[in-house]
């Protein structure tokens, strides 16, 4: 019996072993563990599944066993979802932290450098992939001050390099990365400082600093201007926290747009895209809201077009078909091309696809992870966002119509597990866009004719949204003669191309579960 009790004691200590500790503290910070609440103190040991909560005017710094250093600001919450670290087996280590409220700063330790794919950070609205880095952020802004990160939200990913940031509002796709500015850095670091950011008092700055310093001395730490806590000597141990100097870039010139003419027989591109975000860990907001356009925040959109293809001269869309011998899987994606096809990037289901081999009408590639049987693409030079913004912000309404007879539609339809091609010679489309006067919406329709078959499939698009990046609709119906239109699952995404937005192009994916029909379509149209 004594042996059993001893084993249970050892097992309990193993399961609840310390994984880190509080190494600096300001104000009242509490730890929720199981059903208990613990008032944190300097040197407090932490366990897996702990939740650390800071109150107004408080902050805390924790150091994990692998030397990952995390600071949470006032009114913030840190969840330790998972943490395993064995110095003898670092390749088996993993960590998952959630910053579910307020501001934070993270400096990667051993786990994030050796086993980066298993080091996961989450906010309320996004998930962050790292490659050995320092991150500062809150629930609306994620800043990379060193290294590089990928930020995923609303099933879309952007790559953020050193001295860049992205905005991550609840339920929205992350905005395209922007060069870091001092005012942006200061606004986020303000939440990391222990002083109240929403105080209504009229104390002078000198009085506030004096009061804060007194409080810090009581708790044994110093609150620096950049939000970093520098601990002093504790009775048991002495901890030194690495300091970091952030210098925002002075060059904010946007990437040069190259207007290259694709060759007839281009060489196979040589590309080395970034590692894709972990497909098993996409951000999945519980209550998604409609995203906004980064240039015109008041204009809603369900999709930020080509957000992680900045710098590519030609932007467009991809459709693919994959067969397992019994059924087909149709997918849509985006493509960016530069330098006469010598560099390119294809994004499908949030994954960066490599080994693309472009020609004038199709994409074909061979990859162990992405073996597609059919693939097609369409791409061109997008209209400058300033032109679209001018139309959007105009006080008077402007109407633009696109489609038949100046249109091209091609793609794939799986009708009751039989694959058909869409007949581009007889299929048709019509779209009407209304810009300005607070409207900024579109409607449209497509009639898709099957190749070598009398079958056809008609779709209507309603409540389409326009923004400076492109246009989208997720309200699709199947239209059939002498029958009421039936809602179907799917979405349309597109962009404006050429000077004056004189061409549209995009892709459509749909799933008619009632009739067991799925489709992936590419389209392009001029004015009609």
């Amino acid at each position: 019996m004594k042996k059993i009790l001893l084993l249970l004691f050892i097992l309990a200590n193993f399961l609840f072993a310390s994984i880190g500790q509080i190494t600096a503290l300001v104000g009242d910070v509490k730890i929720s563990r199981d059903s208990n609440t613990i008032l944190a103190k300097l040197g407090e040991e932490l366990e897996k599944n702990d939740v650390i909560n800071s109150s107004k005017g408080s902050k805390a710094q924790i150091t994990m066993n692998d030397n990952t250093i995390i600071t949470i600001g006032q009114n913030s919450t840190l969840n330790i979802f998972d943490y395993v670290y064995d110095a003898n087996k670092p390749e088996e280590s993993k960590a998952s932290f959630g910053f579910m409220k307020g501001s934070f700063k993270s400096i990667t330790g051993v786990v994030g450098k050796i086993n980066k794919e298993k080091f996961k950070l989450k906010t309320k609205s996004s998930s962050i992939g790292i490659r050995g880095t320092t991150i500062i952020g809150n629930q609306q802004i994620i800043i990379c001050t060193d290294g590089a990160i990928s930020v995923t939200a609303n099933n879309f990913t952007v790559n953020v390099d050193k001295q860049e940031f992205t905005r991550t509002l609840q339920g929205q796709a992350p905005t395209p990365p922007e060069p870091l500015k001092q005012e942006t850095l200061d606004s986020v670091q303000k939440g990391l400082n222990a002083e109240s950011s929403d105080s209504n008092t009229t104390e002078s700055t000198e009085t506030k600093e004096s009061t804060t310093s007194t409080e810090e001395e009581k708790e044994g730490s110093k609150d620096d201007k950049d939000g970093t806590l520098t601990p002093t000597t504790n009775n048991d141990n002495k901890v030194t926290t690495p300091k970091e100097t952030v210098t925002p870039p002075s060059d904010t010139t946007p990437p040069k747009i190259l207007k290259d003419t694709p060759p007839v027989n281009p060489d196979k591109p040589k590309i080395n895209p970034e590692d894709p975000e972990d497909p098993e860990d996409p951000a999945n907001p519980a209550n998604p809201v409609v995203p906004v356009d980064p240039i015109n925040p008041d204009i809603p959109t369900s999709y930020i077009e080509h957000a992680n293809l900045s710098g590519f001269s030609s932007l467009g869309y991809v459709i693919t078909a994959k067969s397992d011998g019994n059924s087909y899987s149709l997918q849509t994606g985006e493509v960016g091309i530069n330098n006469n096809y010598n560099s390119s990037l294809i994004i499908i289901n949030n994954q960066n696809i490599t080994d693309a081999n472009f020609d004038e009408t199709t994409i074909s590639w061979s990859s162990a992870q992405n073996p597609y049987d059919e693939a097609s693409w369409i791409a061109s030079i997008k209209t400058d966002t300033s032109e679209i913004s001018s139309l959007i912000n105009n006080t008077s309404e402007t109407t633009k119509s696109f489609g038949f007879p100046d249109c091209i539609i091609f793609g794939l339809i799986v009708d009751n597990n039989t694959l058909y091609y869409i007949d581009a010679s007889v299929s048709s489309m019509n779209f009407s866009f209304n810009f300005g006067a607070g409207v900024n919406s579109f409607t449209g329709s497509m009639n898709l004719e099957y190749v070598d078959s009398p079958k056809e499939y008609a779709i209507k698009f309603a409540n389409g949204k326009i923004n400076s990046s492109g246009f989208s609709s997720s309200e699709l119906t199947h239209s059939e003669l002498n029958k009421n239109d039936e809602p179907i699952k799917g979405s349309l995404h597109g962009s404006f191309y050429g000077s004056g937005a004189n061409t549209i192009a995009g892709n459509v994916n749909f799933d008619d579960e009632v009739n067991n029909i799925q489709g992936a379509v590419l389209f392009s149209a001029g004015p009609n």
Side-chain angles (χ1 to χ4, degrees):
M1 184 67 178
K2 290 182 179 180
K3 290 182 178 179
I4 294 175
L5 291 174
L6 179 62
L7 287 172
L8 289 174
F9 176 78
I10 294 172
L11 179 61
N13 277 274
F14 174 77
L15 292 174
F16 300 103
S18 171
I19 59 174
Q21 63 176 311
I22 303 285
T23 50
L25 194 65
V26 172
D28 293 330
V29 175
K30 296 178 180 178
I31 301 172
S32 297
R33 181 177 298 159
D34 297 327
S35 58
N36 301 317
T37 299
I38 303 167
L39 184 62
K41 62 182 183 294
L42 196 64
E44 186 80 50
E45 294 189 342
L46 301 173
E47 298 176 3
K48 179 182 173 182
N49 296 321
D50 278 356
V51 180
I52 298 98
N53 293 284
S54 64
S55 58
K56 182 178 179 181
S58 303
K59 64 186 295 185
Q61 176 183 278
I62 69 173
T63 301
M64 306 302 292
N65 290 348
D66 72 317
N67 205 34
T68 292
I69 299 173
I70 294 174
T71 302
I72 60 169
Q74 63 173 340
N75 294 321
S76 299
T77 298
L78 167 65
N79 292 59
I80 305 177
F81 292 132
D82 196 6
Y83 185 84
V84 175
Y85 175 66
D86 184 347
N88 297 320
K89 298 179 180 179
E91 69 281 356
E92 297 180 5
S93 302
K94 59 183 177 179
S96 178
F97 302 102
F99 305 106
M100 311 317 289
K101 178 183 176 184
S103 305
F104 67 92
K105 180 177 181 178
S106 172
I107 302 175
T108 303
V110 176
V111 177
K113 294 175 181 177
I114 294 180
N115 219 4
K116 58 187 178 183
E117 70 279 0
K118 292 187 178 180
F119 187 91
K120 301 174 182 179
L121 305 177
K122 289 186 178 182
T123 68
K124 191 174 181 180
S125 57
S126 66
S127 64
I128 304 167
I130 60 95
R131 291 187 291 279
T133 190
T134 301
I135 306 168
I136 301 175
N138 54 32
Q139 305 306 307
Q140 293 82 37
I141 296 174
I142 307 295
I143 299 170
C144 178
T145 63
D146 186 38
I149 62 176
S150 60
V151 179
T152 298
N154 204 33
N155 293 320
F156 201 81
T157 300
V158 296
N159 295 321
V160 183
D161 292 326
K162 179 179 179 180
Q163 302 293 334
E164 290 184 341
F165 74 97
T166 180
R167 301 181 189 276
T168 57
L169 300 181
Q170 179 69 28
Q172 301 180 15
T175 61
E178 304 174 45
L180 179 60
K181 297 179 181 179
Q182 189 63 49
E183 56 263 33
T184 304
L185 181 63
D186 290 344
S187 70
V188 176
Q189 286 182 337
K190 186 176 182 180
L192 281 171
N193 293 326
E195 297 91 357
S196 172
S197 60
D198 54 357
S199 174
N200 293 320
T201 64
T202 56
E203 290 182 283
S204 67
T205 303
E206 182 179 355
T207 303
K208 288 182 180 179
E209 289 176 351
S210 176
T211 303
T212 304
S213 297
T214 302
E215 188 70 25
E216 290 156 4
E217 289 169 4
K218 291 179 181 179
E219 298 293 345
S221 60
K222 179 182 177 182
D223 189 1
D224 297 316
K225 291 182 179 180
D226 68 351
T228 300
L229 282 169
T230 304
T232 57
T233 305
N234 181 283
N235 292 333
D236 300 321
N237 51 55
K238 185 175 181 180
V239 182
T240 302
T241 302
K243 294 296 299 299
E244 174 192 20
T245 301
V246 180
T247 305
S250 58
D251 182 11
T252 58
T253 305
K256 182 179 180 181
I257 301 299
L258 305 175
K259 296 184 178 181
D260 296 321
T261 302
V264 175
N265 295 302
D267 294 329
K268 186 174 182 178
K270 299 177 181 179
I271 56 177
N272 292 294
E274 304 289 354
D275 292 337
E277 176 72 9
D278 182 358
E280 297 180 358
D281 185 33
N284 185 21
N287 297 296
V289 297
V290 179
V292 296
D293 178 72
I295 296 179
N296 299 283
D298 295 330
I299 301 168
T301 175
S302 61
Y303 193 75
I304 305 300
E305 294 291 319
H306 302 108
N308 52 355
L309 287 169
S310 60
F312 288 90
S313 57
S314 297
L315 299 172
Y317 301 88
V318 180
I319 59 172
T320 66
K322 178 181 177 181
S323 173
D324 61 6
N326 297 313
S327 61
Y328 289 92
S329 171
L330 303 181
Q331 296 176 321
T332 58
E334 295 181 292
V335 60
I337 309 168
N338 245 353
N339 303 328
N340 290 328
Y341 294 70
N342 289 326
S343 66
S344 60
L345 181 61
I346 304 169
I347 301 171
I348 298 173
N349 279 359
N350 238 12
Q351 299 289 306
N352 295 347
I353 310 301
T354 63
D355 264 349
N357 184 18
F358 289 86
D359 61 34
E360 288 190 307
T361 57
T362 64
I363 299 171
S364 59
W365 64 86
S366 175
S367 170
Q369 291 182 331
N370 299 284
Y372 291 103
D373 300 314
E374 302 284 348
S376 301
W377 68 277
I378 187 168
S380 187
I381 306 297
K382 283 185 66 175
T383 304
D384 192 277
T385 54
S386 62
E387 291 189 53
I388 308 301
S389 296
S390 178
L391 290 169
I392 288 172
N393 296 324
N394 202 323
T395 56
S396 59
E397 188 173 340
T398 301
T399 300
K400 285 177 172 284
S401 297
F402 302 86
F404 186 83
D406 185 12
C407 63
I408 298 174
I409 302 174
F410 56 100
L412 305 163
I413 287 182
V414 178
D415 189 332
N416 288 281
N417 210 34
T418 300
L419 181 66
Y420 295 90
Y421 291 88
I422 293 174
D423 193 336
S425 64
V426 292
S427 296
S428 61
M429 59 175 280
N430 283 287
F431 282 81
S432 179
F433 291 81
N434 296 305
F435 296 91
V439 181
N440 300 307
S441 64
F442 74 91
T443 58
S445 63
M446 286 184 180
N447 191 61
L448 309 175
E449 304 276 354
Y450 294 25
V451 171
D452 297 329
S453 172
K455 292 186 176 183
E456 62 181 16
Y457 194 86
I459 308 177
K460 291 182 180 179
F461 308 93
N463 197 29
K465 306 299 182 184
I466 307 172
N467 64 81
S468 62
S469 176
F471 54 92
S472 61
S473 174
S474 57
E475 295 189 19
L476 280 60
T477 57
H478 170 45
S479 175
E480 198 167 345
L481 187 64
N482 298 324
K483 291 185 179 181
N484 294 329
D485 293 348
E486 296 292 336
I488 59 175
K489 294 181 179 180
S491 61
L492 173 148
H493 302 298
S495 297
F496 300 97
Y497 294 88
S499 177
N502 58 9
T503 302
I504 61 172
N507 62 20
V508 180
N509 67 84
F510 63 88
D511 186 355
D512 182 344
E513 295 178 339
V514 173
N515 296 300
N516 193 23
I517 299 175
Q518 300 85 41
V521 180
L522 292 174
F523 65 88
S524 175
N528 62 7

